[in-house]
Amino acid sequence: DAGVTQSPTHLIKTRGQQVTLRCSPKSGHDTVSWYQQALGQGPQFIFQYYEEEERQRGNFPDRFSGHQFPNYSSELNVNALLLGDSALYLCASSVSRQGWDTEAFFGQGTRLTVV
Amino acid sequence: ELKVEQNPLFLSMQEGKNYTIYCNYSTTSDRLYWYRQDPGKSLESLFVLLSNGAVKQEGRLMASLDTKARLSTLHITAAVHDLSATYFCAVTEYNNNDMRFGAGTRLTVKP
């Protein structure tokens, strides 16, 4: 089992550009969550996708959008990049349950640097 | 709004010593997680605590949960250098998929 895989591992973009990050969930998982982790801070919830729809969203602007595909993989898109978007972006997968999802497993992350 | 507070934020210990990291949260949630993160790496799940009074141990680490006090502790016994990392606690609420993390405790174990 490959676990949760993310690509690319590192990325450098210029302010104003757009970026797409990708995530493949752990086998058997149907739910994907995205987190932003700024340097020296804890991860912050961006949004979660289930059944190809955004199920819940954290306190992030509309510049952050996502998608989930029928095979449960997911993309995170960020438009009009700002310097403050530089962070480690983590993807986590889980299995959706009524009330409580199962334990989330995290990918290795994508380090995004905006210059 | 759900808040999660960890302390201390920085911890420097000698090998062989014991210490405890504290995690306070503001919800009535009874599901709490502890993760370890090495520099530049992802989050490694350590413990999932599901109910009041839960205690779990793995090697030199032991985690406990007191839902009435809204407090979880991560106790380190006889620390070794390999435990040097940042430790995060995180909380989820029922029917809420927003996992809230504490700011993390950066642990350094010195020989």
Side-chain angles (χ1 to χ4, degrees):
Chain A
D1 181 4
V4 181
T5 58
Q6 293 185 241
S7 64
T9 54
H10 295 83
L11 203 52
I12 300 175
K13 289 287 190 178
T14 304
R15 275 180 300 175
Q17 285 188 316
Q18 178 263 346
V19 69
T20 297
L21 310 182
R22 296 177 176 82
C23 172
S24 293
K26 184 177 169 64
S27 177
H29 286 192
D30 58 9
T31 302
V32 174
S33 303
W34 287 93
Y35 291 81
Q36 180 195 66
Q37 186 179 20
L39 200 60
Q41 298 182 23
Q44 285 193 289
F45 177 75
I46 303 174
F47 42 54
Q48 184 182 80
Y49 275 83
Y50 173 66
E51 292 188 336
E52 302 180 46
E53 291 191 355
E54 182 183 291
R55 181 160 76 173
Q56 188 169 350
R57 187 178 185 92
N59 188 26
F60 279 80
D62 292 344
R63 297 187 298 108
F64 290 77
S65 63
H67 189 77
Q68 186 180 33
F69 299 93
N71 67 353
Y72 307 118
S73 66
S74 177
E75 290 181 347
L76 164 66
N77 300 294
V78 187
N79 293 323
L81 284 166
L82 305 174
L83 294 179
D85 295 331
S86 295
L88 180 67
Y89 288 85
L90 295 165
C91 166
S93 73
S94 57
V95 179
S96 183
R97 294 276 187 267
Q98 186 72 22
W100 300 102
D101 286 354
T102 61
E103 181 184 359
F105 288 84
F106 285 81
Q108 80 279 16
T110 294
R111 172 72 63 186
L112 172 65
T113 303
V114 182
V115 296
Chain B
E1 181 185 336
L2 171 55
K3 294 187 186 300
V4 181
E5 294 185 352
Q6 280 182 245
N7 70 83
L9 298 182
F10 297 91
L11 178 56
S12 180
M13 321 176 44
Q14 293 291 122
E15 278 192 332
K17 298 292 187 182
N18 304 332
Y19 210 85
T20 300
I21 299 171
Y22 297 89
C23 176
N24 290 91
Y25 55 94
S26 63
T27 180
T28 55
S29 167
D30 59 3
R31 184 164 289 202
L32 188 136
Y33 305 81
W34 283 97
Y35 290 93
R36 168 183 171 143
Q37 187 176 41
D38 292 295
K41 304 293 186 181
S42 188
L43 298 170
E44 174 191 353
S45 177
L46 295 174
F47 301 107
V48 181
L49 302 171
L50 302 179
S51 60
N52 187 43
V55 177
K56 290 193 175 180
Q57 183 163 5
E58 180 73 34
R60 301 175 187 275
L61 302 177
M62 183 174 72
S64 65
L65 178 62
D66 181 344
T67 59
K68 294 179 181 177
R70 301 181 187 178
L71 171 69
S72 180
T73 60
L74 180 65
H75 187 73
I76 303 157
T77 302
V80 294
H81 179 69
D82 284 352
L83 289 179
S84 296
T86 299
Y87 293 84
F88 291 96
C89 65
V91 176
T92 55
E93 296 177 289
Y94 189 77
N95 273 337
N96 186 341
N97 303 296
D98 177 354
M99 183 183 290
R100 291 294 174 97
F101 284 80
T105 297
R106 187 176 298 179
L107 171 66
T108 303
V109 181
K110 299 180 178 180

